Amino acid sequence: MYQGKKIVQPPYLKAGDKVALVSPAYWVPEEAILQAAEVIKSWGLRPVIGPHTTSLNVDAYSGTADERASDMLWALEDDSIRAIICSRGGYGSLHLLNRIPMEYYQQHPKWLIGHGDITTLLYAVAGAGVMCVHGPMSFQIASNQEPATSITQNILFGTLPQYKIASKPYNRCGHAEGILIGGNLSSYAAITGTKYHHSQKQDIILFVEEVEESLHAIDRLFYTLRLQMDFERVKGIIFGSFNSIKYDLQFGSVEQMLIAHLHDLEIPVCCGFPVGSDSCLPLIEGAPCSLDVTADHTSLTFNIDGEAKPCEIMDTTPQITKSIIY
């Protein structure tokens, strides 16, 4: 477990800086990478594409584990590269953990951006004491997915969102402060408690999301987190989106089930935050933040250097529940 220095905030970018596009997990078509590169150029940055970013092997990965790791090492070691954007998730980031020395993240601090299976790498980076961004990947940037893409661009240049989200059913009101940590539940639970874990000395705001799992699996994964983490340090929780879920337990929604896990904790809980596979508002992992959940809305503020910009996502659409499958 990393017990190093205080959390490092990577430098913000300026016009002309290089941004690496890499594929640590599954492959995406070259066309999507080239389209993402054009969007990044429109930001005034210089995209550089990793040697194996558009490779495809028989298992749908973007190259072998060694090749994918070599692209990450290339992007980290080249100090002219100021940020790294991952192409997509799927599976495979786990293969890279032991191939990248953990101290590299502190030695070469730069913004790493991704979500889903990339949660594994974000967890290692934040565990090494460096902030990173749980946000849109190349295939989403290629389609200019908004508002996630423009907010990510702003973060890279030093303008931070102050989110204000509409209230949702099952929210629990309250105020909390801590280091923001989390991501895809399957990826996160798999390595919680390992040497890549964040410092035990910090309070935590935990966020999780999931896609294409059953309630049964999500129940097991969240129980695993309760066993592996010191939940006394968890001061607030953000539940993101849960898409394409199989309802094989008697709950009307994922949030209804997960709230039952928290009956013994008097902490604020935000449900329905638009972060996940469908809408991926960028969150700065490893950053100190403040969470305020009221009857009307949820606010999330990052307490780091940068210009703050209010970002209201006041979608009042009722929470959708699914029919129960027995």
Side-chain angles (χ1 to χ4, degrees):
M1 186 175 295
Y2 187 82
Q3 298 291 344
K5 314 158 188 181
K6 75 176 197 176
I7 292 177
V8 172
Q9 181 179 338
Y12 293 123
L13 278 60
K14 60 184 185 301
D17 280 345
K18 290 182 183 178
V19 175
L21 305 181
V22 300
S23 299
Y26 277 179
W27 168 88
V28 293
E30 183 177 12
E31 180 182 0
I33 299 297
L34 295 177
Q35 288 175 349
E38 288 302 313
V39 174
I40 292 166
K41 285 180 185 177
S42 74
W43 298 351
L45 301 170
R46 288 190 292 161
V48 289
I49 299 174
H52 303 96
T53 298
T54 58
S55 298
L56 172 64
N57 70 15
V58 294
D59 296 316
Y61 300 119
S62 185
T64 66
D66 285 339
E67 290 171 339
R68 287 178 278 129
S70 71
D71 279 10
M72 277 294 296
L73 290 169
W74 157 76
L76 286 168
E77 292 170 347
D78 185 340
D79 289 333
S80 70
I81 293 174
R82 308 304 298 275
I84 304 170
I85 299 178
C86 299
S87 300
R88 65 162 292 185
Y91 180 67
S93 299
L94 189 66
H95 304 155
L96 276 58
L97 288 189
N98 287 332
R99 291 174 164 87
I100 302 173
M102 202 164 180
E103 61 269 18
Y104 269 40
Y105 302 123
Q106 278 264 354
Q107 292 170 359
H108 308 279
K110 54 192 70 180
W111 295 104
L112 175 67
I113 304 167
H115 69 273
D117 183 70
I118 307 300
T119 292
T120 304
L121 293 177
L122 299 177
Y123 189 78
V125 172
V130 179
M131 296 181 198
C132 49
V133 178
H134 182 281
M137 295 183 282
S138 293
F139 79 95
Q140 293 159 316
I141 292 172
S143 61
N144 262 317
Q145 184 184 88
E146 294 293 357
T149 299
S150 59
I151 296 174
T152 300
Q153 176 188 358
N154 288 342
I155 290 173
L156 290 177
F157 283 99
T159 299
L160 309 177
Q162 288 184 324
Y163 289 124
K164 187 176 182 181
I165 309 295
S167 180
K168 297 290 184 180
Y170 302 112
N171 276 7
R172 287 185 178 178
C173 297
H175 171 82
E177 297 183 5
I179 302 299
L180 188 66
I181 294 293
N184 175 261
L185 183 57
S186 296
S187 302
Y188 186 74
I191 58 174
T192 301
T194 67
K195 65 180 181 180
Y196 301 97
H197 201 56
H198 43 278
S199 170
Q200 291 184 336
K201 299 178 182 179
Q202 299 159 334
D203 290 338
I204 295 169
I205 305 296
L206 174 67
F207 75 97
V208 295
E209 57 84 16
E210 191 53 86
V211 62
E212 295 181 352
E213 288 286 359
S214 66
L215 280 186
H216 186 94
I218 293 172
D219 183 71
R220 179 189 293 113
L221 290 166
F222 205 79
Y223 261 111
T224 300
L225 279 188
R226 292 286 324 243
L227 292 171
Q228 292 178 333
M229 289 182 64
D230 177 7
F231 256 72
E232 290 186 1
R233 296 169 52 216
V234 177
K235 303 303 180 183
I237 293 181
I238 296 171
F239 290 132
S241 62
F242 296 92
N243 296 320
S244 302
I245 303 301
K246 178 184 177 182
Y247 280 69
D248 55 355
L249 295 176
Q250 297 185 48
F251 290 96
S253 71
V254 177
E255 292 84 357
Q256 182 188 26
M257 180 183 72
L258 292 179
I259 284 291
H261 284 277
L262 307 173
H263 65 89
D264 58 324
L265 301 177
E266 296 182 359
I267 58 175
V269 178
C270 164
C271 296
F273 195 98
V275 57
S277 62
D278 56 346
S279 175
C280 196
L281 292 185
L283 298 176
I284 305 174
E285 294 220 38
C289 66
S290 301
L291 175 68
D292 288 281
V293 184
T294 72
D296 298 321
H297 64 267
T298 293
S299 297
L300 181 66
T301 302
F302 298 102
N303 303 320
I304 58 177
D305 292 336
E307 177 187 352
K309 181 179 181 180
C311 238
E312 291 199 19
I313 313 292
M314 301 304 290
D315 177 11
T316 56
T317 303
Q319 177 171 294
I320 299 173
T321 58
K322 306 289 184 180
S323 58
I324 299 170
I325 299 176
Y326 295 97

